[in-house]
Amino acid sequence: MNRVIPVILCGGAGTRLWPLSRKNFPKPFLKVGAESLIAQTVRRAAAVAKAADSSDVLLVSNESYQFLLQDECMPVLNSEGGNMALHQLLEPQGRNTAPAIALAAQWAQARYPGENPVLLVLPADHLINPVAEFVRVAQQAVAAARKGWLTCFGITPSTPETGFGYIQQGAPVDEINGAFAVQRFVEKPKLELAMEYLASGQYVWNGGMFALRSSDLLQALENNEPSVASQANVVWASAKESKNAKASGSVFTFNKDEFAKLPDISIDYAVMEKASNVAVVAASFQWSDIGSWAALAEQCTPDTQGNTVQQEGAGQLISIDSNNTHVRLSNRAVATLGVENLLIVDTPDALLVADRSRHQDVKKVVETLKAQGSELVNVHPTVHRPWGTYTVLEDSAGYKIKRIEVKPGASLSLQMHHHRSEHWIVVSGTAEVTNGENVFLVRKNESTYIPAGNKHRLVNPGVLNLVMIEVQSGDYLEEDDIVRFDDVYGRA
C-alpha cells in the first residue's frame, strides 16, 4: 500500500480578512474557536495519517513562517501521539500551488524511494467539521489515488455560491465508492448558472484539496505543464536540508534565484483541468474556506436581530437598535447604535467598518495601503519572533515602549544597537541578561539598563514565560538597527 503523507500548503495572504490577517501573520494563524486554522488542519491531517499508519506531516510555506508554524503545529502533533514528525519545505517566495505540490512530491520520493507515497494536499486555512467525516472522505480519496486517479475533494453545495469554482461529476469510478470521473471544471459562475448547477445535482464546489500519488502528479506535470516539471527538478536539486530538532523532522530551503524561475500557476490550471485521469470524491462534511469576514460571521451564533460578535480580548459590545451586524472585539468597548448590515473589526492599530455586502472588497483596502507603502499591510502591533513576541505599546519621537514575552528556554540573539539605549523591567519570570562582559539575573520587579553600543543578550532560563517592559530611547528606533553577533535561529 502507498504510504499517505499529508501536505499542508501554508500560502495565501488572506487580504479579505484585513486588519486581522496581515503579511507577517496571515489567515492560517487566525483563531476560529479554540485553535488557529492551521492547528485545526494539522489535527485533521494527523488523524488521517494515524489511520494510515503514517507519521509524517509536511508543511510547504514561506520561509518567514518557519518558527511560527512550529509553535502552532508541534503542540497539536504531540497531543495526537504516535511520534508524529513535522517536516517543512520553506519557499523564499510564493509561486502558487503547482510548484509547491511538485516539490512536495519530490520530497516524498526522496524520503521514501520506491514507495510512491500518496500526497493528501490540504490548504492550511479551511474550517472543516466533523473530523471523523473528513477522515472517511479522505480515505475514499486516497483509495482512488492508489488506483492512479488524481483525486479532488468536491464539497456538496448548499447554496448557489458564485465565489467558488465548480466540478461537474461524470461516471462513477469502478471499485471506489463515492468517487466519480471529472467531466469538467467550471470557473466562478454567475448566479443564474450557479442556481442551475445546484438544481442539477451534478456539480460540487472545488474544495482545493487533493489526493494523488507523487509519481502520478510529477508525470501529469511532465505531460501538461513541462515548464513546472523541469524547473521543479532544478529547484529540488538545489535543496539544502537541516535538522528540525524541535519537530523531529527535516527542514529544506532552496536556491532563491532558481526558485524565482518557477512558473506562478495553480495545480488546477497546470494539471487538473488538463489531465484525463482526474476524479472527484463528493464530501458532505461542513466546510468553509473562511474567505471573508462574512464567512467568519457565519461561524458565530446570531442574536434575535441577526447580530454576531467575535470576542477577542477584554472588549465589550454595546448593541442598541442594530441589525445584521458583525463585530470583532479587541480590548476596547464598541457601541453600535441604529446601524445595520455592517462589518466592524476592531484591532489595536486599525479599525474596519464596511457594508456587509462589500465583504469581498476588503482586499481593496489592502491594495490602497500597499500603494501608500503602509506597514499596516505587513505587521500587527504584536510581532512574532522565534523566541516569542513583542508588542509596541507606544511609539513616539525619541522613545518606544514594548512589551516583550520570551518563551521558556528561548534566547534572543547576542546583539548591539548603534542608535538606541534600552531599559528593561521584568514583570514576570526571571531574565538572564548579558550586558557587555557581565552576565546576571534580573528578577520580577527588578530592572537593568543597556547603553547604546553594548553587546547584550536576553535569555529566559525558567519554565514559564518571561514578560518584561522595554523602554527604548534614542534618535533612531527602527528594527534594522540591530547588529547580530550570535543567534541560535541562524539570523546572525
Side-chain angles (χ1 to χ4, degrees):
M1 299 289 280
N2 307 89
R3 184 185 303 268
V4 178
I5 299 176
V7 177
I8 301 176
L9 305 181
C10 309
T15 54
R16 294 178 181 87
L17 290 173
W18 186 90
L20 203 55
S21 175
R22 306 195 194 180
K23 180 180 178 182
N24 291 352
F25 194 81
K27 177 182 165 188
F29 300 105
L30 305 186
K31 280 192 175 182
V32 179
E35 290 185 314
S36 66
L37 290 171
I38 178 63
Q40 295 181 52
T41 303
V42 169
R43 196 172 295 283
R44 291 193 300 272
V48 176
K50 286 170 65 178
D53 292 324
S54 181
S55 60
D56 293 313
V57 172
L58 177 65
L59 304 180
V60 186
S61 76
N62 187 279
E63 59 190 11
S64 62
Y65 305 141
Q66 176 184 354
F67 299 103
L68 190 54
L69 282 167
Q70 289 178 14
D71 289 344
E72 286 291 312
C73 299
M74 282 311 301
V76 176
L77 291 183
N78 291 337
S79 70
E80 292 295 320
N83 297 316
M84 301 293 292
L86 183 73
H87 308 272
Q88 292 176 281
L89 303 185
L90 301 178
E91 301 177 320
Q93 65 184 99
R95 303 307 290 165
N96 219 314
T97 54
I101 299 171
L103 291 172
Q106 298 268 21
W107 176 89
Q109 292 204 332
R111 180 165 173 80
Y112 298 105
E115 290 193 25
N116 199 15
V118 172
L119 308 182
L120 178 66
V121 180
L122 308 172
D125 53 7
H126 289 185
L127 188 66
I128 293 174
N129 284 298
V131 172
E133 179 63 11
F134 170 79
V135 172
R136 184 191 68 80
V137 174
Q139 289 171 333
Q140 286 182 312
V142 168
R146 284 172 170 154
K147 295 287 186 180
W149 292 90
L150 306 173
T151 311
C152 311
F153 285 61
I155 310 301
T156 304
S158 55
T159 58
E161 177 61 53
T162 59
F164 300 142
Y166 285 72
I167 299 172
Q168 185 178 13
Q169 299 173 118
V173 172
D174 292 342
E175 302 179 11
I176 307 297
N177 183 40
F180 300 85
V182 169
Q183 189 161 329
R184 64 170 177 152
F185 288 82
V186 183
E187 290 297 316
K188 300 173 182 178
K190 294 190 178 299
L191 180 60
E192 297 78 11
L193 201 53
M195 293 175 68
E196 291 181 19
Y197 293 164
L198 183 64
S200 74
Q202 297 180 16
Y203 291 82
V204 290
W205 293 333
N206 186 352
M209 296 173 280
F210 311 96
L212 29 79
R213 290 187 304 199
S214 54
S215 66
D216 295 330
L217 180 277
L218 294 173
Q219 186 61 56
L221 282 171
E222 288 277 4
N223 296 341
N224 299 288
E225 201 66 41
S227 60
V228 174
S230 60
Q231 189 58 28
N233 287 336
V234 174
V235 171
W236 180 251
S238 77
K240 293 183 178 179
E241 180 182 2
S242 60
K243 186 66 178 175
N244 184 352
K246 181 176 179 180
S248 301
S250 54
V251 175
F252 284 84
T253 54
F254 305 98
N255 179 276
K256 293 183 178 181
D257 293 335
E258 295 299 345
F259 199 94
K261 297 175 186 177
L262 282 166
D264 187 344
I265 186 171
S266 72
I267 194 66
D268 297 273
Y269 288 135
V271 170
M272 296 299 174
E273 296 183 10
K274 300 174 181 178
S276 59
N277 57 328
V278 181
V280 61
V281 173
S284 56
F285 46 67
Q286 298 173 27
W287 172 88
S288 174
D289 69 344
I290 309 294
S292 68
W293 281 108
L296 260 179
E298 290 174 359
Q299 307 305 316
C300 304
T301 303
D303 65 14
T304 54
Q305 285 75 46
N307 301 306
T308 51
V309 60
Q310 183 183 358
Q311 182 74 49
E312 298 285 345
Q316 179 187 3
L317 174 64
I318 303 98
S319 178
I320 302 171
D321 298 331
S322 301
N323 298 283
N324 196 35
T325 290
H326 177 71
V327 179
R328 189 267 182 191
L329 293 171
S330 182
N331 287 316
R332 291 181 290 198
V334 174
T336 63
L337 174 62
V339 301
E340 61 181 15
N341 301 321
L342 291 183
L343 297 169
I344 301 172
V345 182
D346 184 37
T347 69
D349 65 337
L351 173 68
L352 170 70
V353 181
D355 187 288
R356 194 162 183 150
S357 66
R358 301 289 299 276
H359 62 97
Q360 293 289 348
D361 291 333
V362 173
K363 63 181 180 180
K364 293 182 179 179
V365 178
V366 176
E367 291 167 0
T368 300
L369 289 170
K370 279 184 179 179
Q372 296 172 351
S374 173
E375 277 298 292
L376 288 171
V377 173
N378 299 320
V379 296
H380 290 275
T382 295
V383 177
H384 292 260
R385 290 287 186 256
W387 44 261
T389 63
Y390 71 81
T391 303
V392 178
L393 303 177
E394 188 168 346
D395 188 355
S396 190
Y399 73 93
K400 183 184 292 186
I401 305 174
K402 290 181 177 180
R403 178 188 185 274
I404 294 177
E405 188 161 346
V406 184
K407 294 180 289 190
S411 168
L412 280 69
S413 59
L414 179 64
Q415 59 186 255
M416 181 267 286
H417 311 296
H418 290 290
H419 302 285
R420 71 175 186 248
S421 300
E422 296 175 344
H423 295 263
W424 293 349
I425 304 112
V426 174
V427 175
S428 177
T430 299
E432 179 186 291
V433 175
T434 299
N435 189 355
E437 299 298 322
N438 301 314
V439 179
F440 52 92
L441 296 179
V442 181
R443 296 175 175 83
K444 181 178 179 180
N445 294 329
E446 297 178 348
S447 63
T448 192
Y449 170 66
I450 312 293
N454 265 29
K455 286 186 181 181
H456 60 277
R457 169 174 260 156
L458 178 65
V459 177
N460 179 2
V463 296
L464 300 175
N465 282 1
L466 164 66
V467 180
M468 52 177 272
I469 300 299
E470 176 181 88
V471 181
Q472 303 176 356
S473 59
D475 55 4
Y476 185 78
L477 304 173
E478 298 306 315
E479 289 302 308
D480 57 357
D481 180 25
I482 298 179
V483 179
R484 289 190 175 95
F485 301 97
D486 179 62
D487 183 70
V488 297
Y489 308 106
R491 298 172 299 167

